[in-house]
Amino acid sequence: MLFGLEEKIKDFKKLIKEDKLRQSYLFFGEPQIGKFSFASSLINFLENKEFIPPEGRRPLMDAEIFLPDRQAGSPDESGSIGIDAIRRLKKFLYQRPVVSSRRSAIFDSAESLTPEAQNAFLKIAEEPPHSSLIIFIARETSVFPATLVSRFVKVYFPRLSQKSIEKYLKDDLGVDSAKAGLIAKQSFGRIGRAIEIMKPEARSPKRETLKDDNLGEYLEGLILSLRKDLPKNSSKLNWLLKREELIKRNNLNPKLQLKAINQFLRS
């Protein structure tokens, strides 16, 4: 899923061709906008000359992916990535590539690294092997210490316009115009969310399963639900839209905002 990322593909292909690709990148932006798909496509291009996600194809020989909810990232009970993962990363990166020009590592949800793991990683980031590529994927750069962030080339992934998502749904997926327009409106600029909405099992997040780190998705689910009956819910909808913008602009505490939202909905 690389729709809307054509310019980034062009830029990174140029960097690779001119041998100007750096060792460490931080891809940041909101969820479901293609950060992980782009990162995995990039390392697939380095190894197989195809700028497409490697899922369902032959496994990558010179890549390691660290996720907080899978064994590859050594998650502890809280879902964080600890220092053991960094130790394995160091061992992995300092081996010679087998078929690719780089030994590549992706840290999805990189904000889940523990402080101890971040400190250990900083030593690698200061002098990474020339034949390495490390990609951190996160929502914000502010979740990392400034000393760590300074070691990365930062690449921002924005939301797409409603029109571009609607065009993708119609032209690439064959969705009829009316349905494509509705899904594009409900996607909030996230192409991954648009595809998710198309699935029959897609549903808004429930309050009882809400966590602090998906407050944005929870808010969007509430807004979509209220939009189904605008005459009845217009005042609540207006309040939530203003609250959503306030949270994004000022990076407000998720726990406090969740409490305020639930109090408002109960009133």
Side-chain angles (χ1 to χ4, degrees), residues 39-67:
S40 60
S41 297
L42 173 59
I43 62 176
N44 190 42
F45 181 76
L46 289 171
E47 188 163 322
N48 298 314
K49 308 306 177 186
E50 295 181 304
F51 216 113
I52 53 177
E55 294 97 340
R57 300 173 177 84
R58 58 183 176 179
L60 297 175
M61 299 291 293
D62 291 306
E64 181 108 12
I65 298 175
F66 294 86
L67 302 168

Side-chain angles (χ1 to χ4, degrees), residues 16-57:
I16 293 168
K17 182 178 180 180
E18 298 177 355
D19 196 25
K20 293 181 179 179
L21 190 68
R22 299 281 292 276
Q23 278 73 41
S24 303
Y25 288 87
L26 172 55
F27 292 174
F28 69 101
E30 296 182 63
Q32 298 180 304
I33 52 178
K35 302 186 299 297
F36 182 83
S37 294
F38 187 88
S40 60
S41 297
L42 173 59
I43 62 176
N44 190 42
F45 181 76
L46 289 171
E47 188 163 322
N48 298 314
K49 308 306 177 186
E50 295 181 304
F51 216 113
I52 53 177
E55 294 97 340
R57 300 173 177 84

Side-chain angles (χ1 to χ4, degrees), residues 68-130:
D69 58 346
R70 296 171 72 174
Q71 189 175 358
S74 287
D76 60 21
E77 290 182 357
S78 64
S80 61
I81 299 177
I83 194 170
D84 286 345
I86 305 304
R87 292 183 181 128
R88 285 203 308 277
L89 170 71
K90 184 176 181 180
K91 182 179 180 180
F92 169 77
L93 289 181
Y94 282 87
Q95 296 177 34
R96 186 184 299 274
V98 179
V99 294
S100 177
S101 60
R102 302 282 185 112
R103 294 283 273 180
S104 302
I106 298 175
F107 281 81
D108 197 12
S109 299
E111 54 266 64
S112 65
L113 269 78
T114 64
E116 185 182 24
Q118 291 183 14
N119 289 334
F121 178 82
L122 183 58
K123 297 177 182 179
I124 299 175
E126 287 174 347
E127 294 185 15
H130 179 72

Side-chain angles (χ1 to χ4, degrees), residues 5-18 20-21 25 38 42 51 155:
L5 300 175
E6 292 81 6
E7 283 300 314
K8 282 184 170 59
I9 293 173
K10 181 180 177 181
D11 291 342
F12 271 86
K13 282 185 175 180
K14 182 178 179 181
L15 289 172
I16 293 168
K17 182 178 180 180
E18 298 177 355
K20 293 181 179 179
L21 190 68
Y25 288 87
F38 187 88
L42 173 59
F51 216 113
V155 181

Side-chain angles (χ1 to χ4, degrees), residues 141-155:
T141 61
S142 60
V143 299
F144 303 105
T147 51
L148 183 58
V149 172
S150 65
R151 304 297 178 181
F152 290 91
V153 176
K154 294 175 283 296
V155 181

Side-chain angles (χ1 to χ4, degrees), residues 223-256:
I223 291 169
L224 289 176
S225 178
L226 292 173
R227 277 179 172 167
K228 294 177 181 178
D229 192 349
L230 284 176
K232 179 182 177 181
N233 299 319
S234 59
S235 60
K236 288 185 177 180
L237 181 59
N238 287 333
W239 186 90
L240 282 174
L241 288 170
K242 291 178 182 178
R243 176 65 58 166
E244 181 187 39
E245 184 65 23
L246 187 66
I247 292 170
K248 290 177 181 177
R249 287 187 178 183
N250 299 287
N251 194 26
L252 300 179
N253 183 285
K255 288 184 178 179
L256 295 178

